Amino acid sequence: MRTEPRLHLMVPDDFNDSDADSQVHPMARKMFFGSAMAEPFAEAAAWVAAHDVRIIDTAWENAPAGETFSCVLSVYFTFEDDGRD
């Protein structure tokens, strides 16, 4: 997996995640917007198909009335390990 030295997870110096049941695992979030419910799902499907990611979770939100994009789909994911360092 390619690493990016400018991107890192900041944690306090005294932070301890050595317990196997509660270790910290970084993940990313990408948001997809639409004015109709099907739009964010279609965009998300196309994006996931184009990238080597593992979906961890999703969340759906309806924006307040009057917003241009009233439907929001959040996709939480990690990047798949491509075997490279």
Side-chain angles (χ1 to χ4, degrees):
M1 177 179 288
R2 181 179 64 89
T3 60
E4 179 60 52
R6 294 174 295 159
L7 301 176
H8 54 275
L9 181 64
M10 297 293 293
V11 296
D13 291 335
D14 61 347
F15 183 78
N16 180 0
D17 71 340
S18 60
D19 182 10
D21 292 333
S22 63
Q23 290 184 332
V24 173
H25 300 281
M27 83 173 74
R29 173 186 183 199
K30 180 147 179 75
M31 298 170 72
F32 299 92
F33 302 91
S35 55
M37 288 187 169
E39 293 172 4
F41 288 99
E43 289 180 29
W47 185 83
V48 169
H51 296 86
D52 194 14
V53 296
R54 178 181 298 162
I55 303 299
I56 303 299
D57 200 0
T58 60
W60 180 259
E61 297 176 53
N62 291 313
E67 293 290 325
T68 304
F69 299 113
S70 58
C71 303
V72 182
L73 175 65
S74 295
V75 175
Y76 297 88
F77 65 95
T78 60
F79 291 99
E80 290 288 352
D81 185 359
D82 61 9
R84 293 179 285 159
D85 285 332

